[in-house]
Structures are given as structure tokens and as C-alpha cells.
Amino acid sequence: MTSTEQQPFLSIRDLRVHFSTEDGIVKAVDGLTFDLAKGKTLGIVGESGSGKSVTNLTILGLHDRDRTRIDGEIVLDGQDLLATSERQLERLRGNKMSMIFQDALASLSPYHTIGKQISETYRKHTGASRLEARHRAIEMLRRVGIPQPDVRVDDYPHQFSGGMRQRAMIAMALVCDPELLIADEPTTALDVTVQAQIMDLLKDLQQEFGTAIIFITHDLGVIADIADDVLVMYGGRCVERGTKEEVLRTPQHPYTLGLMNSMPSLDGPVDVPLSPIPGSPPSLLNPPSGCRFHPRCAFAEKVPGGLCSGESPVLEVVDGRGSACHLPKEQRSELFADFAGTRHN
Ligand SMILES: Nc1ncnc2c1ncn2[C@@H]1O[C@H](COP(=O)(O)OP(=O)(O)OP(=O)(O)O)[C@@H](O)[C@H]1O
Ligand code: SF4
Ligand SMILES: [Mg+2]
């Protein structure tokens, strides 16, 4: 996002993903714009139902096609993905772009060995021989830290622990050196130690291959560890973006501030009480008028004229930094400091 390259590696412009349901149109993603450069990690953070997974499944072309309307632009390395056939997309998946999910068991087949699954992915995209692909699978398992990879390659997924399965899925996702890796809460189900190991692994692999990574998480601590840039989503829209330092040190949107206050401080005292954001995420069938965050926002009353409930704030982005809020910029730091002060007293 902060890249000054003329043509970013991945460019998303005004993306809208709307689902037709019996109850009406679900506006799961509603006007999302961002860029990602090679070798960089974009963290996408937001509460449940904010549109994080739908955004990324749409990039991969894995969305539910029958009842979905997609508008906007997704361009990967100069290729317009929304104009790409399903067949071509299938070729790109696993090869140019791939994804790791929260639940490795759901992504791995229980009927085939880990090695077979990794090597078949490799063969499908490279045409390598069985033997070459087996060597490659062992090599990938070794790289992701599986002990005795030449033996464990013949194990089935149920013979691996949760952390090892997650590593195996990463090995499968990376076996063709994808240029874009989308990681959707890949460490949420794991204990803290394994989580840290997997994050280190992703960082190492990124350094080695220059992979661009989109990392989706609820956890700002994970963002602080792995991301270069951050995009905060609320109700299908981006409410704030910037570099990790900008967003985490000087949040400009009340929702980002709310997220930070609802999580243990990254570097502050451990005894500060947490304050969850009141209320719940908006319905995407019938989103609130104006700013979608207004029913939950502690600052809406500071904006005169009912603007917050009447008019949708525009996301203004300058040099990759921006937020969508009606509060005057010059008042935010003072208001936000007071808010944090109230909480800590
Ligand atoms: N195929 C679909 N049909 C209708 N609605 C859908 C469909 N897929 C997702 N949605 C809705 O779109 C919204 C965004 O969902 P999404 O899975 O992207 O959220 P998320 O931010 O990834 O949440 P979580 O953190 O819980 O994974 C949700 O309200 C979800 O119910
Ligand atoms: S626009 Fe209003 S309701 Fe929305 S975040 Fe800003 S102050 Fe809160
Ligand atoms: Mg999700």
C-alpha cells in the first residue's frame, strides 16, 4: 500500500461482493480498495462478519458463483482476475496464488498421505515426475519444520498433530512458490508457541521467495508481529489503513481504537482493564445508515448535525494512509487520548 510502484503486484479497486439470499442482498464487501507489493505483508483485521474471508475468497476465485454479484477490479501482476476464466483461475491457484486456512483438516484429504497431497499439487502445476515431486514434498516438509520428513511424508493427516497439520498445509500452499499467499487466521486454533513458530516460518519463507502475503486475523498482536501495512475492516468496508506503525501507534478511527482497547496492550501494563466495544457487528443485509459504526461509536455525539447517522464518511487515502470518519482530524488525538484516559482510570 505504501509502495510507490506504478503497478502494484496486487491491486483491488472498489471491490463489491454482494450475495443474493432469500432475505435480500448481503453486501459482504462494499467498496474495498487496496494495493499490495511483492515481499510485503498486509494484515487485514476486523470482527467476525466484516468481510475479510469473502474478500480473499473472491481474489482466489473461490466464491460462491451462482448467487454472487461482483463489481470492481482485482488485478494480480497485470492480470484482471475478474475477467479470467475458471479454468485459468484454477491454474493460478496453487501456482501463482495460494491460501492457508484456519482449519487444516478441512483442507487436507483424510484418504491420502500428506506426501501424496503435496506432491500431486506440485505435479499438477509443474508436470514433474512422481519421484521429483516426492523429493520436493520431503524438502517442503523439512522446510516447514516437520521432523524426519522422509518418514513422515508417508503419514496420513490424522497421524499429524494440529500444529504439524498446519505446517503441512503451509508446505502444500508453498510447494509451487506462489507469489501471493493468503493466510486466513492460520494460527488461531494453535497454542501460542506453535503460533509463534508458524509466524516465523512465514516470515522466513517470505524473505526467501519474496512472497506477497495477506494475513487475516482478529488479533492485533499478530498484526504487530507480522504485517507491514494494515487494513481495518468494518461491515464490509475499510475504515482505516496505513502502515502497521501508523495504525497501531496513532489510530485515526474510533473502531480501530475500540479494537485496541478491547485487547491486551501490546507493550503496556498487563493490569489495564479491557473494554470490549459495546453492541455487535452490523447486519450486512440491512446495514445502519450513514457511518456503519455509528450505533456503537462513543464519538458519534461529538459530530454535530446527525452527520454520523446521516452520511457515510468517505475514506480519504493519502500515501497509503487514511480513515473514514466525520470527526475533524485535528480533534482526534485529543479525543482519543481522553477516551483511553477514562478507560485506564
Ligand atoms: N455465500 C454467502 N451467502 C450469503 N452471505 C454470505 C456468504 N458468504 C459470506 N456471507 C456473509 O458475508 C459476511 C462476511 O463474511 P466473512 O466470512 O467474509 O466474514 P469474516 O470477516 O471473514 O468473519 P470471521 O472473522 O468470522 O471469519 C457475513 O455476514 C457472512 O454471513
Ligand atoms: S463517522 Fe461518526 S460514528 Fe463513524 S466512526 Fe466517526 S465519529 Fe464514529
Ligand atoms: Mg473469515
Side-chain angles (χ1 to χ4, degrees), residues 17-21 26-29 46-57 63-64 67-68 102 184-185 216-218 233 236 282-285:
V17 186
H18 294 181
F19 298 108
S20 301
T21 70
V26 176
K27 296 179 179 175
V29 180
E47 286 166 302
S48 197
S50 55
K52 305 181 299 293
S53 296
V54 168
T55 300
N56 289 293
L57 289 171
H63 51 279
D64 170 1
R67 296 173 296 111
T68 314
Q102 181 175 343
D184 194 345
E185 309 252 12
I216 304 173
T217 176
H218 287 101
M233 280 190 83
S283 150
L284 298 176
L285 265 174

Side-chain angles (χ1 to χ4, degrees), residues 40 76 92 101 137 163 189 217 240 285 297 323:
K40 294 287 181 192
L76 180 69
L92 292 177
F101 299 92
T217 176
E240 174 156 12
L285 265 174
C297 182
S323 61

